[in-house]
Structures are given as structure tokens and as C-alpha cells.
Amino acid sequence: GQQLNQSPQSMFIQEGEDVSMNCTSSSIFNTWLWYKQDPGEGPVLLIALYKAGELTSNGRLTAQFGITRKDSFLNISASIPSDVGIYFCAGRTSGSRLTFGEGTQLTVNP
Amino acid sequence: SAVISQKPSRDICQRGTSLTIQCQVDSQVTMMFWYRQQPGQSLTLIATANQGSEATYESGFVIDKFPISRPNLTFSTLTVSNMSPEDSSIYLCSVEGGPGLLYNEQFFGPGTRLTVL
């Protein structure tokens, strides 16, 4: 089946630093989604990407759909304490179910 | 996005019992899904809840253990049957498609945290 490798597994950064995390797949995807999950909550959709090469921003967040359609990255600029949480990538091919990455646990030290 | 609620938000249950989790959406949606998230893990799809027909289960999940209902376009239930401690997880409902929602964008409820003793 499809597999997603998400890295890094965890990150410890200082407030104000930029963050980058990425996902790679063994399969070609048509859609990439990035979610954030706070403790005790469900995942919240941050950014959706639909086209190879697409670069999309949502505030301090920027995500890109890789040209090969097998990878995506998420950048967070000027991190703040409320950025703490687990970030998940998810991808799918047409009509198939979503496949989730293993998550990146982000800790921001004030 | 859609507003999704789940009941209960958490529960502690005895092994051998069953728990039914409800998922309510504030608008009609095309697709509804149930996921399991074991402690410290990613999300695993249990099944797609189909309105008016049997749910479509993923490999490793069976109807006898996880019966699902979807009587209409805004509501679904997941039952965790004959529970064991290994069923301790967060159970998440998600939705996709419908008026005002883009296909390929999936939205999640707040989850139900289940602990089985």
C-alpha cells in the first residue's frame, strides 16, 4: 500500500525560529494536505495542495507540492509558542483514501 | 469548513462492554469516515460510513467489532464492541464533500478518547 515518510519525527526550537518539515511518498499523489493536532483535539486542516509545484501560504505557514508529486514540505516562519503541536501530512491519489504521515511533534521554547 | 461534534468526548469503560460514539455535522456532507489514533501514533482509517448501505471497512477492521451506522447525511455512529485494553485510543470522525466544502479536503471532529480497563 501507499506509505508516507514524514520527517523529522520531532523538533525542539526557540521562539522566532523558522521550521521546516517534509513528507515523501513511494507513490504519486494528486492531493497533499497538512494538518495540525493540539493535545486532546482533532486534526485541523492548515493547507491543501492540488497541483505539482503549487506553493500555498496561510499566514506564517507555507506548503509546497513537489514537482515529482511524491513529496511536500511545510514551513513555519517566526515560530510562536502556540505553534506547538503535532503536524501531519496526508496524501491521496484520485478517489482513494487519505494516507497519513507519522507526524512531526513541534516544541517551541519561549 | 463544517462544524463536527462527537459524543462522548471521553469515556472509561470495562473490558467486554461496548461503546457507541456519535458524530454530528452541522451540514449535509457526502462522505463520513471513522479513524482510530492509538497513543502517540498517526491516524488509521477504520471505515467509510455509507448512507443507506453497509460501511466500507479497511483491512484489519471488521463489522462485528466496529459496527457503523449512517442514517442520513449529517449523522453517523461507530460502536466499539466487546472492548479490550488494546481498543484504548482516540476515535475520530471526519467528513468530506457537500455544499460549501471542497472535495479532497477532509475535516475532523474533536475526537473521543476511550480508555478500556
Side-chain angles (χ1 to χ4, degrees):
Chain A
Q2 295 165 342
Q3 286 191 319
L4 276 185
N5 295 312
Q6 185 171 350
S7 65
Q9 271 191 321
S10 60
M11 303 182 75
F12 298 83
I13 61 170
Q14 293 298 124
E15 183 176 358
E17 289 183 357
D18 297 344
V19 170
S20 185
M21 58 193 79
N22 69 84
C23 278
T24 58
S25 167
S26 56
S27 307
I28 289 175
F29 284 136
N30 292 338
T31 302
W32 283 97
L33 305 176
W34 283 93
Y35 290 89
K36 181 188 179 215
Q37 186 175 29
D38 290 328
E41 304 287 332
V44 173
L45 182 63
L46 299 173
I47 292 180
L49 301 161
Y50 299 104
K51 213 163 117 176
E54 181 181 352
L55 186 72
T56 297
S57 293
N58 178 6
R60 293 177 296 104
L61 278 59
T62 302
Q64 184 157 29
F65 193 142
I67 291 289
T68 64
R69 295 167 64 195
K70 290 186 176 182
D71 63 324
S72 177
F73 71 74
L74 175 71
N75 285 345
I76 305 173
S77 63
S79 58
I80 58 178
S82 61
D83 290 334
V84 165
I86 304 176
Y87 292 80
F88 290 100
C89 63
R92 71 164 12 133
T93 54
S94 294
S96 73
R97 60 178 171 77
L98 274 180
T99 300
F100 280 82
E102 293 303 308
T104 296
Q105 171 74 61
L106 178 63
T107 302
V108 180
N109 296 315
Chain B
S1 65
V3 177
I4 306 164
S5 60
Q6 285 186 234
K7 284 184 189 177
S9 58
R10 58 177 61 231
D11 207 342
I12 301 173
C13 301
Q14 296 297 322
R15 69 169 69 212
T17 62
S18 297
L19 176 72
T20 295
I21 302 167
Q22 298 179 1
C23 177
Q24 179 74 56
V25 194
D26 69 339
S27 59
Q28 293 185 341
V29 293
T30 306
M31 309 286 286
M32 294 185 79
F33 305 91
W34 287 98
Y35 287 81
R36 181 174 74 184
Q37 187 177 27
Q38 294 178 304
Q41 303 291 315
S42 186
L43 285 76
T44 301
L45 182 63
I46 297 172
T48 303
N50 299 311
Q51 195 229 343
S53 64
E54 196 171 282
T56 305
Y57 289 85
E58 296 297 308
S59 174
F61 297 97
V62 295
I63 188 170
D64 289 347
K65 176 67 176 176
F66 297 102
I68 287 170
S69 79
R70 189 176 172 195
N72 56 50
L73 295 177
T74 64
F75 186 78
S76 178
T77 67
L78 168 75
T79 300
V80 186
S81 303
N82 188 24
M83 289 184 283
S84 67
E86 291 71 35
D87 294 320
S88 298
S89 286
I90 300 171
Y91 291 86
L92 293 151
C93 166
S94 73
V95 305
E96 190 172 320
L101 299 180
L102 290 175
Y103 280 97
N104 283 326
E105 291 188 3
Q106 204 167 112
F107 299 94
F108 285 84
T112 296
R113 185 179 294 271
L114 171 61
T115 302
V116 184
L117 303 177

